[in-house]
């Protein structure tokens, strides 16, 4: 459900300073690939077959979004999304990119 809005965010901020990486937790690779074909997401996608989303990132729900600095530091974590663009991370993106 979040993909249409995330596509809008991606188009708005996509640059050499902003990229999205989709990490799927799907367990059925064939179904995941079928959904990727259907969704036509413009950002890179990977499938987490080792379940590091649990051990390394403590993801307890989807979508979970991380804002990571160019230096690799996790700046923010947010679970869920706001279709109206009022989520914490989207507000931070406005602060960083809209001047």
């Amino acid at each position: 459900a979040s993909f249409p809005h995330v596509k809008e965010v991606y188009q708005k901020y996509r640059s050499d300073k902003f990229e999205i990486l989709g990490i799927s937790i799907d367990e059925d690779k064939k179904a995941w690939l079928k959904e990727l074909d259907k969704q036509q997401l413009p950002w890179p996608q990977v499938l987490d077959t080792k379940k590091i989303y649990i051990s390394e990132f403590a993801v307890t729900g989807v979508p979970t979004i991380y804002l990571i600095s160019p230096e690799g530091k996790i700046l923010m974590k947010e679970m869920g999304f706001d279709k109206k663009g009022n989520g914490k991370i989207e507000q931070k993106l406005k602060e960083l990119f809209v001047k």
Side-chain angles (χ1 to χ4, degrees):
S2 66
F3 287 150
H5 182 70
V6 177
K7 283 181 181 179
E8 291 174 12
V9 171
Y10 186 73
Q11 293 302 321
K12 185 174 185 177
Y13 297 113
R14 173 78 169 97
S15 69
D16 62 341
K17 295 183 182 184
F18 178 79
E19 181 61 85
I20 292 176
L21 172 64
I23 303 173
S24 176
I25 63 173
D26 288 303
E27 297 194 8
D28 182 339
K29 184 176 181 178
K30 186 175 177 181
W32 171 68
L33 290 171
K34 183 178 179 182
E35 189 63 22
L36 281 182
D37 188 52
K38 176 183 168 187
Q39 293 293 337
Q40 294 295 302
L41 303 174
W43 52 84
Q45 301 290 320
V46 296
L47 181 61
D48 180 6
T49 59
K50 297 182 180 180
K51 300 187 185 240
I52 65 165
Y53 72 94
I54 297 170
S55 62
E56 301 297 322
F57 292 96
V59 171
T60 58
V62 291
T64 298
I65 303 164
Y66 290 88
L67 183 60
I68 302 171
S69 75
E71 298 77 31
K73 179 181 177 191
I74 295 175
L75 303 174
M76 299 177 78
K77 175 183 176 181
E78 182 174 21
M79 193 165 46
F81 77 100
D82 183 318
K83 291 180 186 179
K84 296 179 182 178
N86 295 317
K88 295 182 304 181
I89 287 182
E90 202 163 339
Q91 291 299 314
K92 185 66 173 179
L93 289 173
K94 289 175 187 173
E95 178 186 314
L96 292 170
F97 291 102
V98 179
K99 295 179 179 178

XYZ file of all heavy atoms in Angstrom:
814
model
N 0.818 -1.208 0.000
C 0.000 0.000 0.000
C 0.855 1.263 0.000
O 0.414 2.305 -0.463
C -0.938 -0.005 1.203
N 2.068 1.175 0.520
C 2.911 2.375 0.606
C 3.626 2.698 -0.698
O 4.110 3.814 -0.878
C 3.942 2.215 1.723
O 4.855 1.182 1.416
N 3.701 1.743 -1.627
C 4.506 1.949 -2.825
C 4.135 3.193 -3.641
O 5.029 3.919 -4.067
C 4.504 0.711 -3.715
C 5.313 -0.433 -3.175
C 4.948 -1.730 -3.460
C 6.442 -0.224 -2.388
C 5.692 -2.808 -2.971
C 7.185 -1.281 -1.892
C 6.816 -2.569 -2.186
N 2.857 3.481 -3.900
C 2.556 4.689 -4.685
C 3.120 5.964 -4.048
O 3.707 6.800 -4.742
C 1.032 4.712 -4.744
C 0.642 3.270 -4.618
C 1.649 2.693 -3.640
N 2.975 6.093 -2.747
C 3.495 7.291 -2.082
C 5.032 7.295 -2.074
O 5.650 8.340 -2.310
C 2.964 7.418 -0.657
C 3.447 8.657 0.022
N 3.016 9.911 -0.337
C 4.363 8.841 0.995
C 3.644 10.819 0.395
N 4.461 10.187 1.216
N 5.635 6.160 -1.832
C 7.102 6.095 -1.814
C 7.655 6.427 -3.201
O 8.693 7.081 -3.316
C 7.596 4.730 -1.301
C 9.110 4.643 -1.366
C 7.131 4.505 0.138
N 6.960 6.042 -4.250
C 7.375 6.418 -5.599
C 7.389 7.938 -5.759
O 8.295 8.505 -6.376
C 6.459 5.797 -6.657
C 6.708 4.334 -6.911
C 5.758 3.835 -7.996
C 5.927 2.372 -8.288
N 4.981 1.895 -9.324
N 6.388 8.613 -5.205
C 6.338 10.077 -5.254
C 7.525 10.683 -4.502
O 8.167 11.622 -4.989
C 5.037 10.592 -4.642
C 3.803 10.280 -5.446
C 2.526 10.684 -4.720
O 2.592 11.411 -3.698
O 1.447 10.261 -5.178
N 7.811 10.162 -3.329
C 8.943 10.644 -2.532
C 10.245 10.428 -3.300
O 11.104 11.310 -3.359
C 8.990 9.951 -1.149
C 10.276 10.277 -0.397
C 7.764 10.335 -0.331
N 10.377 9.277 -3.908
C 11.576 8.952 -4.674
C 11.774 9.931 -5.826
O 12.873 10.446 -6.035
C 11.471 7.520 -5.195
C 12.723 7.018 -5.876
C 13.851 6.691 -5.132
C 12.772 6.858 -7.247
C 14.995 6.214 -5.748
C 13.910 6.373 -7.877
C 15.023 6.058 -7.117
O 16.155 5.590 -7.731
N 10.705 10.204 -6.565
C 10.802 11.143 -7.677
C 11.165 12.551 -7.196
O 11.908 13.270 -7.857
C 9.492 11.182 -8.468
C 9.178 9.900 -9.199
C 10.276 9.493 -10.178
O 10.862 10.317 -10.856
N 10.572 8.207 -10.220
N 10.663 12.915 -6.051
C 10.897 14.263 -5.512
C 12.340 14.459 -5.055
O 12.932 15.515 -5.286
C 9.937 14.510 -4.342
C 9.989 15.899 -3.784
C 8.895 16.075 -2.739
C 8.829 17.488 -2.244
N 7.736 17.682 -1.304
N 12.930 13.460 -4.397
C 14.236 13.641 -3.761
C 15.384 12.903 -4.443
O 16.544 13.115 -4.087
C 14.169 13.204 -2.295
C 13.221 14.045 -1.489
C 12.053 13.501 -0.973
C 13.479 15.388 -1.251
C 11.176 14.265 -0.231
C 12.601 16.169 -0.519
C 11.454 15.604 -0.012
O 10.588 16.364 0.714
N 15.121 12.058 -5.404
C 16.153 11.241 -6.051
C 17.288 12.122 -6.553
O 17.081 13.083 -7.264
C 15.540 10.470 -7.227
C 16.536 9.728 -8.080
C 16.973 8.448 -7.394
N 17.721 7.611 -8.307
C 19.047 7.573 -8.358
N 19.764 8.306 -7.560
N 19.651 6.776 -9.207
N 18.499 11.797 -6.101
C 19.689 12.549 -6.501
C 20.913 11.746 -6.088
O 20.786 10.640 -5.573
C 19.717 13.914 -5.813
O 19.941 13.761 -4.416
N 22.087 12.346 -6.291
C 23.304 11.669 -5.841
C 23.408 11.675 -4.321
O 24.258 11.011 -3.750
C 24.547 12.292 -6.480
C 24.748 13.749 -6.097
O 23.782 14.409 -5.650
O 25.870 14.233 -6.252
N 22.503 12.406 -3.645
C 22.507 12.450 -2.174
C 21.318 11.720 -1.565
O 21.155 11.707 -0.350
C 22.530 13.898 -1.705
C 23.803 14.603 -2.093
C 23.842 15.995 -1.575
C 25.131 16.644 -2.046
N 25.310 17.959 -1.532
N 20.467 11.108 -2.407
C 19.307 10.390 -1.880
C 19.014 9.174 -2.753
O 18.887 9.284 -3.968
C 18.071 11.290 -1.853
C 16.833 10.575 -1.364
C 16.638 10.374 -0.009
C 15.880 10.094 -2.246
C 15.510 9.696 0.453
C 14.746 9.428 -1.804
C 14.568 9.234 -0.445
N 18.919 8.035 -2.102
C 18.582 6.788 -2.795
C 17.737 5.939 -1.863
O 17.830 6.059 -0.645
C 19.846 6.023 -3.176
C 19.623 4.730 -3.931
C 18.922 4.903 -5.260
O 19.588 5.182 -6.269
O 17.680 4.751 -5.283
N 16.902 5.127 -2.433
C 16.107 4.165 -1.675
C 16.630 2.777 -2.008
O 16.953 2.495 -3.166
C 14.612 4.268 -2.031
C 14.030 5.594 -1.531
C 13.829 3.081 -1.464
C 12.571 5.822 -1.914
N 16.708 1.930 -1.021
C 17.021 0.520 -1.218
C 15.892 -0.268 -0.583
O 15.642 -0.136 0.622
C 18.357 0.143 -0.575
C 18.676 -1.358 -0.569
C 18.832 -1.885 -1.989
C 19.923 -1.632 0.254
N 15.197 -1.047 -1.375
C 14.122 -1.890 -0.866
C 14.684 -3.229 -0.430
O 15.359 -3.904 -1.205
N 14.422 -3.595 0.805
C 14.855 -4.896 1.319
C 13.596 -5.674 1.676
O 12.886 -5.320 2.607
C 15.772 -4.744 2.548
C 16.989 -3.889 2.194
C 16.193 -6.129 3.062
C 17.873 -3.543 3.378
N 13.343 -6.719 0.914
C 12.129 -7.493 1.111
C 12.365 -8.621 2.107
O 13.419 -9.247 2.119
C 11.670 -8.100 -0.214
O 10.546 -8.924 0.011
N 11.344 -8.876 2.919
C 11.413 -9.985 3.868
C 10.539 -11.162 3.409
O 10.307 -12.092 4.165
C 11.026 -9.535 5.286
C 9.576 -9.049 5.336
C 11.988 -8.462 5.775
C 9.069 -8.756 6.733
N 10.094 -11.096 2.167
C 9.290 -12.188 1.626
C 10.045 -13.505 1.712
O 11.262 -13.548 1.563
C 8.931 -11.920 0.157
C 7.909 -10.819 0.010
O 6.827 -10.941 0.602
O 8.196 -9.840 -0.696
N 9.308 -14.576 1.920
C 9.923 -15.899 2.001
C 9.795 -16.686 0.704
O 10.513 -17.652 0.492
C 9.329 -16.677 3.171
C 9.655 -15.976 4.482
C 9.413 -16.819 5.704
O 9.124 -18.025 5.568
O 9.526 -16.267 6.801
N 8.919 -16.249 -0.174
C 8.705 -16.912 -1.457
C 9.334 -16.049 -2.555
O 8.758 -15.042 -2.981
C 7.209 -17.090 -1.694
C 6.882 -17.813 -2.991
O 7.723 -17.849 -3.912
O 5.752 -18.331 -3.076
N 10.517 -16.443 -3.004
C 11.255 -15.637 -3.980
C 10.467 -15.461 -5.278
O 10.444 -14.366 -5.850
C 12.615 -16.268 -4.275
C 13.458 -15.433 -5.204
C 14.843 -16.025 -5.402
C 15.657 -15.142 -6.332
N 17.013 -15.654 -6.525
N 9.815 -16.499 -5.728
C 9.054 -16.427 -6.972
C 7.917 -15.397 -6.853
O 7.714 -14.582 -7.758
C 8.495 -17.811 -7.322
C 7.818 -17.877 -8.656
C 7.395 -19.310 -8.970
C 6.654 -19.370 -10.287
N 6.212 -20.731 -10.606
N 7.209 -15.422 -5.751
C 6.124 -14.468 -5.523
C 6.673 -13.048 -5.406
O 6.065 -12.091 -5.905
C 5.346 -14.845 -4.264
N 7.828 -12.893 -4.755
C 8.469 -11.578 -4.614
C 8.826 -11.021 -5.990
O 8.544 -9.860 -6.288
C 9.701 -11.702 -3.716
C 10.563 -10.492 -3.669
C 10.261 -9.277 -3.116
C 11.896 -10.353 -4.166
N 11.317 -8.405 -3.248
C 12.335 -9.054 -3.896
C 12.761 -11.225 -4.822
C 13.594 -8.592 -4.244
C 14.023 -10.754 -5.170
C 14.437 -9.458 -4.885
N 9.438 -11.840 -6.836
C 9.819 -11.398 -8.174
C 8.583 -11.025 -9.007
O 8.605 -10.034 -9.749
C 10.637 -12.474 -8.884
C 12.039 -12.698 -8.322
C 12.683 -13.930 -8.941
C 12.906 -11.463 -8.533
N 7.514 -11.773 -8.844
C 6.267 -11.470 -9.551
C 5.723 -10.110 -9.102
O 5.290 -9.298 -9.920
C 5.243 -12.575 -9.299
C 3.953 -12.390 -10.042
C 3.002 -13.546 -9.789
C 1.693 -13.321 -10.519
N 0.736 -14.399 -10.262
N 5.750 -9.865 -7.806
C 5.260 -8.583 -7.275
C 6.147 -7.421 -7.724
O 5.643 -6.339 -8.040
C 5.170 -8.630 -5.744
C 4.477 -7.447 -5.137
C 3.010 -7.296 -5.528
O 2.357 -8.282 -5.931
O 2.497 -6.156 -5.427
N 7.455 -7.639 -7.777
C 8.359 -6.588 -8.271
C 8.030 -6.234 -9.715
O 8.025 -5.054 -10.088
C 9.818 -7.040 -8.187
C 10.488 -6.959 -6.832
C 11.941 -7.407 -6.947
C 10.418 -5.561 -6.256
N 7.761 -7.244 -10.508
C 7.402 -7.009 -11.906
C 6.103 -6.202 -11.989
O 5.978 -5.285 -12.799
C 7.261 -8.345 -12.639
C 7.078 -8.164 -14.121
O 7.904 -7.454 -14.746
O 6.114 -8.724 -14.675
N 5.169 -6.517 -11.132
C 3.884 -5.810 -11.104
C 4.040 -4.366 -10.635
O 3.484 -3.449 -11.218
C 2.922 -6.556 -10.172
C 1.591 -5.900 -9.971
C 0.752 -6.685 -8.973
C -0.459 -5.917 -8.520
N -1.152 -6.613 -7.437
N 4.823 -4.142 -9.579
C 4.946 -2.820 -8.971
C 5.840 -1.858 -9.765
O 5.678 -0.646 -9.664
C 5.476 -2.935 -7.536
C 4.536 -3.606 -6.583
C 3.280 -2.794 -6.317
O 3.246 -1.578 -6.474
N 2.225 -3.486 -5.912
N 6.825 -2.384 -10.500
C 7.747 -1.547 -11.281
C 8.376 -0.439 -10.419
O 8.301 0.743 -10.740
C 7.021 -0.940 -12.486
C 6.583 -1.966 -13.509
C 7.758 -2.663 -14.179
O 8.595 -2.016 -14.778
N 7.832 -3.973 -14.041
N 8.996 -0.847 -9.324
C 9.647 0.107 -8.428
C 10.969 0.563 -9.040
O 11.758 -0.256 -9.489
C 9.868 -0.540 -7.062
C 8.590 -1.072 -6.396
C 8.919 -1.823 -5.123
C 7.604 0.050 -6.136
N 11.233 1.869 -9.042
C 12.427 2.387 -9.719
C 13.720 2.333 -8.905
O 14.773 2.684 -9.411
C 12.041 3.842 -10.011
C 11.094 4.203 -8.916
C 10.331 2.929 -8.608
N 13.668 1.908 -7.664
C 14.868 1.857 -6.837
C 15.358 0.409 -6.728
O 14.610 -0.530 -6.972
C 14.618 2.460 -5.455
C 13.425 1.890 -4.746
C 13.377 0.750 -4.002
C 12.102 2.425 -4.726
N 12.112 0.534 -3.517
C 11.311 1.554 -3.955
C 11.511 3.556 -5.277
C 9.958 1.792 -3.723
C 10.171 3.775 -5.047
C 9.408 2.907 -4.278
N 16.626 0.214 -6.342
C 17.178 -1.144 -6.205
C 16.408 -1.973 -5.173
O 15.943 -1.446 -4.163
C 18.614 -0.913 -5.741
C 18.910 0.508 -6.029
C 17.608 1.244 -6.022
N 16.307 -3.274 -5.429
C 15.588 -4.203 -4.559
C 16.479 -5.395 -4.229
O 17.198 -5.884 -5.102
C 14.353 -4.741 -5.278
C 13.370 -3.689 -5.712
C 12.655 -3.061 -4.548
O 12.281 -3.743 -3.592
N 12.460 -1.767 -4.602
N 16.412 -5.846 -3.006
C 17.101 -7.070 -2.597
C 16.156 -7.897 -1.736
O 15.217 -7.381 -1.155
C 18.429 -6.792 -1.828
C 19.441 -6.095 -2.714
C 18.179 -5.990 -0.568
N 16.437 -9.195 -1.673
C 15.632 -10.118 -0.869
C 16.484 -10.596 0.296
O 17.585 -11.113 0.100
C 15.190 -11.305 -1.724
C 14.328 -12.368 -1.055
C 13.015 -11.767 -0.548
C 14.039 -13.494 -2.033
N 15.999 -10.400 1.517
C 16.731 -10.791 2.729
C 16.463 -12.263 3.037
O 15.559 -12.597 3.786
C 16.321 -9.905 3.898
C 17.043 -10.250 5.193
O 17.948 -11.096 5.179
O 16.697 -9.647 6.229
N 17.262 -13.134 2.470
C 17.086 -14.569 2.697
C 17.752 -15.042 3.983
O 17.499 -16.154 4.439
C 17.661 -15.369 1.518
O 19.049 -15.059 1.383
C 16.931 -15.049 0.234
N 18.588 -14.202 4.589
C 19.286 -14.571 5.833
C 18.615 -14.007 7.080
O 19.105 -14.181 8.189
C 20.745 -14.130 5.759
C 21.510 -14.832 4.653
C 22.947 -14.413 4.636
C 23.672 -15.140 3.508
N 25.070 -14.768 3.435
N 17.527 -13.287 6.870
C 16.740 -12.710 7.972
C 17.540 -11.753 8.848
O 17.350 -11.704 10.068
C 16.064 -13.792 8.800
C 15.118 -14.641 7.961
C 14.329 -15.600 8.803
C 13.509 -16.471 7.886
N 12.122 -16.395 8.076
N 18.415 -10.954 8.222
C 19.149 -9.957 9.006
C 18.240 -8.824 9.465
O 18.590 -8.081 10.362
C 20.380 -9.400 8.260
C 19.968 -8.616 7.025
C 21.373 -10.492 7.941
C 21.074 -7.765 6.459
N 17.055 -8.724 8.845
C 16.123 -7.698 9.289
C 15.747 -7.905 10.757
O 15.424 -6.948 11.464
C 14.879 -7.638 8.399
C 13.907 -8.789 8.558
C 12.831 -8.694 9.419
C 14.067 -9.971 7.828
C 11.931 -9.747 9.556
C 13.162 -11.019 7.952
C 12.109 -10.899 8.817
O 11.214 -11.935 8.950
N 15.823 -9.136 11.230
C 15.531 -9.431 12.632
C 16.783 -9.258 13.481
O 16.794 -8.505 14.461
C 14.982 -10.866 12.796
C 13.667 -11.024 12.053
C 14.813 -11.213 14.276
C 13.177 -12.455 11.947
N 17.856 -9.930 13.102
C 19.061 -9.957 13.928
C 19.832 -8.644 13.952
O 20.425 -8.297 14.966
C 19.997 -11.083 13.468
O 20.426 -10.866 12.126
N 19.830 -7.901 12.850
C 20.656 -6.692 12.777
C 19.865 -5.391 12.845
O 20.416 -4.363 13.225
C 21.485 -6.703 11.486
C 22.400 -7.898 11.358
C 23.466 -7.979 12.446
O 23.998 -6.918 12.843
O 23.760 -9.099 12.900
N 18.594 -5.424 12.450
C 17.833 -4.178 12.358
C 16.588 -4.132 13.234
O 15.885 -3.131 13.246
C 17.457 -3.897 10.900
C 18.653 -3.572 10.054
C 19.269 -4.555 9.297
C 19.177 -2.297 10.031
C 20.378 -4.264 8.523
C 20.290 -1.990 9.261
C 20.897 -2.982 8.503
N 16.284 -5.200 13.930
C 15.152 -5.249 14.861
C 13.838 -4.794 14.215
O 13.057 -4.078 14.817
C 15.459 -4.427 16.112
N 13.609 -5.224 12.987
C 12.368 -4.896 12.300
C 11.257 -5.765 12.866
O 11.356 -6.983 12.875
C 12.515 -5.097 10.773
C 11.162 -4.966 10.078
C 13.521 -4.114 10.199
N 10.203 -5.110 13.338
C 9.072 -5.840 13.913
C 7.790 -5.629 13.116
O 6.761 -6.206 13.435
C 8.835 -5.410 15.371
O 8.610 -3.998 15.401
C 10.022 -5.773 16.247
N 7.835 -4.771 12.096
C 6.676 -4.514 11.258
C 7.115 -3.912 9.937
O 8.228 -3.410 9.823
N 6.209 -3.979 8.972
C 6.517 -3.410 7.669
C 5.440 -2.416 7.258
O 4.276 -2.621 7.606
C 6.670 -4.510 6.589
C 7.912 -5.321 6.818
C 5.461 -5.387 6.504
N 5.834 -1.354 6.582
C 7.215 -1.041 6.245
C 7.956 -0.426 7.425
O 7.369 0.265 8.251
C 7.090 -0.016 5.116
C 5.788 0.681 5.390
C 4.886 -0.364 6.009
N 9.232 -0.694 7.501
C 10.135 -0.013 8.416
C 11.131 0.736 7.552
O 11.700 0.175 6.627
C 10.867 -0.998 9.341
O 9.889 -1.672 10.147
C 11.856 -0.291 10.254
N 11.316 2.005 7.847
C 12.142 2.870 7.022
C 13.280 3.428 7.865
O 13.075 3.862 8.992
C 11.302 4.032 6.453
C 10.128 3.480 5.656
C 12.158 4.973 5.618
C 9.049 4.495 5.372
N 14.470 3.399 7.284
C 15.649 3.975 7.923
C 16.151 5.122 7.074
O 16.190 5.022 5.847
C 16.778 2.941 8.039
C 16.502 1.851 9.036
C 15.820 0.703 8.664
C 16.924 1.971 10.356
C 15.559 -0.296 9.582
C 16.662 0.968 11.274
C 15.986 -0.158 10.876
O 15.723 -1.155 11.784
N 16.541 6.198 7.709
C 17.229 7.295 7.039
C 18.685 7.179 7.444
O 19.017 7.245 8.630
C 16.648 8.648 7.455
C 17.236 9.874 6.775
C 17.038 9.803 5.258
C 16.602 11.139 7.333
N 19.543 6.960 6.452
C 20.959 6.696 6.699
C 21.783 7.794 6.041
O 21.557 8.134 4.873
C 21.355 5.308 6.154
C 20.480 4.235 6.813
C 22.839 5.029 6.377
C 20.622 2.852 6.212
N 22.750 8.327 6.772
C 23.601 9.397 6.242
C 24.552 8.849 5.185
O 24.785 7.635 5.111
C 24.417 10.020 7.379
O 25.470 9.151 7.755
N 25.135 9.729 4.378
C 26.136 9.277 3.399
C 27.320 8.549 4.049
O 27.976 7.734 3.414
C 26.594 10.577 2.732
C 25.434 11.500 2.884
C 24.845 11.146 4.237
N 27.547 8.800 5.319
C 28.632 8.139 6.041
C 28.225 6.778 6.605
O 29.030 6.079 7.205
C 29.131 9.034 7.192
C 29.718 10.359 6.756
C 28.661 11.388 6.367
O 27.545 11.383 6.916
O 28.959 12.190 5.463
N 26.961 6.417 6.435
C 26.479 5.120 6.893
C 25.885 5.127 8.291
O 25.565 4.075 8.838
N 25.677 6.291 8.877
C 25.095 6.391 10.221
C 23.566 6.399 10.121
O 22.991 7.142 9.327
C 25.564 7.685 10.891
C 24.995 7.879 12.269
C 25.463 9.169 12.897
C 24.793 9.339 14.241
N 24.994 10.678 14.782
N 22.914 5.554 10.935
C 21.449 5.546 10.975
C 21.001 6.794 11.724
O 21.314 6.981 12.898
C 20.905 4.271 11.647
C 21.266 3.044 10.803
C 19.390 4.375 11.839
C 20.893 1.717 11.421
N 20.288 7.655 11.005
C 19.817 8.913 11.582
C 18.438 8.777 12.215
O 18.160 9.385 13.238
C 19.770 10.005 10.512
C 21.076 10.294 9.782
C 20.845 11.295 8.654
C 22.123 10.818 10.757
N 17.570 8.001 11.555
C 16.203 7.849 12.039
C 15.652 6.491 11.624
O 16.088 5.927 10.620
C 15.293 8.928 11.437
C 15.669 10.350 11.772
S 14.584 11.547 10.928
C 13.138 11.436 11.970
N 14.685 6.021 12.383
C 13.958 4.796 12.062
C 12.472 5.095 12.246
O 12.088 5.742 13.224
C 14.379 3.659 12.995
C 13.585 2.376 12.799
C 14.018 1.310 13.806
C 13.163 0.060 13.682
N 13.541 -0.968 14.667
N 11.669 4.630 11.298
C 10.233 4.862 11.389
C 9.493 3.621 10.885
O 9.851 3.066 9.852
C 9.859 6.074 10.542
C 8.418 6.454 10.594
C 8.138 7.758 9.856
O 8.936 8.175 8.993
O 7.101 8.342 10.153
N 8.493 3.218 11.606
C 7.681 2.081 11.178
C 6.344 2.620 10.672
O 5.756 3.508 11.288
C 7.456 1.096 12.326
C 6.901 -0.214 11.837
S 6.991 -1.576 13.021
C 6.411 -0.874 14.519
N 5.898 2.096 9.531
C 4.661 2.570 8.930
C 4.932 3.716 7.972
O 6.079 4.055 7.690
N 3.874 4.295 7.437
C 4.014 5.439 6.544
C 2.774 6.301 6.619
O 1.710 5.853 7.025
C 4.282 4.982 5.109
C 3.052 4.479 4.403
C 2.375 5.292 3.509
C 2.575 3.200 4.623
C 1.236 4.827 2.861
C 1.440 2.732 3.975
C 0.769 3.551 3.091
N 2.928 7.547 6.244
C 1.828 8.494 6.240
C 1.607 8.932 4.797
O 2.481 9.572 4.209
C 2.177 9.684 7.129
C 1.054 10.688 7.248
O 0.409 10.993 6.222
O 0.828 11.197 8.354
N 0.473 8.601 4.223
C 0.179 8.933 2.823
C 0.214 10.434 2.563
O 0.385 10.873 1.448
C -1.189 8.392 2.427
C -1.282 6.904 2.350
C -2.689 6.499 1.945
C -2.845 5.007 1.999
N -4.190 4.559 1.643
N 0.028 11.219 3.618
C -0.006 12.673 3.460
C 1.373 13.312 3.578
O 1.513 14.515 3.459
C -0.960 13.276 4.483
C -2.395 12.835 4.278
C -3.303 13.422 5.321
C -4.719 12.909 5.100
N -5.636 13.411 6.114
N 2.390 12.502 3.851
C 3.743 13.050 3.921
C 4.111 13.662 5.255
O 5.027 14.484 5.333
N 3.407 13.273 6.306
C 3.677 13.862 7.617
C 4.505 12.970 8.540
O 4.630 13.272 9.716
C 2.346 14.210 8.308
C 1.600 15.282 7.545
O 2.186 16.249 7.093
N 0.307 15.093 7.360
N 5.061 11.893 8.016
C 5.895 11.020 8.839
C 7.193 11.714 9.236
O 7.616 12.693 8.614
N 7.827 11.207 10.284
C 9.065 11.823 10.799
C 10.161 11.873 9.740
O 10.839 12.894 9.587
C 9.582 11.057 12.016
C 8.696 11.082 13.233
C 9.328 10.342 14.408
C 9.673 8.910 14.013
N 10.261 8.120 15.098
N 10.347 10.784 9.026
C 11.429 10.747 8.048
C 11.122 11.671 6.871
O 12.002 12.395 6.404
C 11.726 9.304 7.589
C 12.450 8.577 8.736
C 12.548 9.282 6.302
C 12.863 7.157 8.445
N 9.895 11.685 6.430
C 9.570 12.575 5.315
C 9.704 14.042 5.721
O 10.154 14.878 4.929
C 8.175 12.283 4.791
C 8.022 12.764 3.372
C 6.838 12.169 2.660
O 6.331 11.109 3.066
O 6.421 12.782 1.668
N 9.373 14.358 6.948
C 9.573 15.730 7.429
C 11.069 16.072 7.441
O 11.465 17.186 7.078
C 8.971 15.900 8.832
C 7.463 15.847 8.854
C 6.839 16.948 8.020
O 7.229 18.099 8.088
N 5.857 16.579 7.200
N 11.903 15.104 7.844
C 13.345 15.319 7.846
C 13.876 15.505 6.425
O 14.749 16.346 6.192
C 14.047 14.152 8.542
C 15.526 14.330 8.715
C 15.844 15.474 9.661
C 17.323 15.557 9.966
N 17.649 16.678 10.854
N 13.352 14.752 5.458
C 13.761 14.904 4.067
C 13.437 16.322 3.565
O 14.249 16.954 2.884
C 13.091 13.871 3.174
C 13.573 12.443 3.345
C 12.709 11.486 2.521
C 15.037 12.300 2.970
N 12.254 16.825 3.922
C 11.890 18.195 3.542
C 12.889 19.184 4.136
O 13.310 20.121 3.468
C 10.477 18.513 4.017
C 9.398 17.785 3.240
C 8.031 18.053 3.825
C 6.983 17.190 3.153
N 5.672 17.291 3.806
N 13.232 18.970 5.380
C 14.198 19.852 6.058
C 15.563 19.802 5.357
O 16.201 20.836 5.177
C 14.342 19.396 7.512
C 15.330 20.179 8.326
C 15.501 19.563 9.710
O 14.492 19.227 10.355
O 16.673 19.424 10.135
N 15.993 18.621 4.954
C 17.311 18.464 4.347
C 17.369 18.924 2.894
O 18.398 19.452 2.460
C 17.737 16.992 4.418
C 18.027 16.426 5.793
C 18.200 14.918 5.723
C 19.253 17.090 6.401
N 16.307 18.715 2.138
C 16.371 18.930 0.694
C 15.598 20.119 0.159
O 15.866 20.583 -0.941
C 15.919 17.675 -0.055
C 16.889 16.541 0.074
C 16.632 15.487 0.953
C 18.064 16.518 -0.660
C 17.523 14.437 1.071
C 18.966 15.476 -0.543
C 18.708 14.427 0.324
N 14.607 20.609 0.873
C 13.800 21.722 0.368
C 14.272 22.992 1.055
O 14.025 23.197 2.232
C 12.298 21.484 0.615
C 11.486 22.658 0.106
C 11.846 20.196 -0.044
N 14.970 23.795 0.286
C 15.518 25.032 0.854
C 15.139 26.217 0.019
O 14.863 26.184 -1.098
C 17.034 24.920 0.954
C 17.406 23.842 1.937
C 18.885 23.679 2.046
C 19.100 22.577 3.089
N 20.367 22.192 3.347
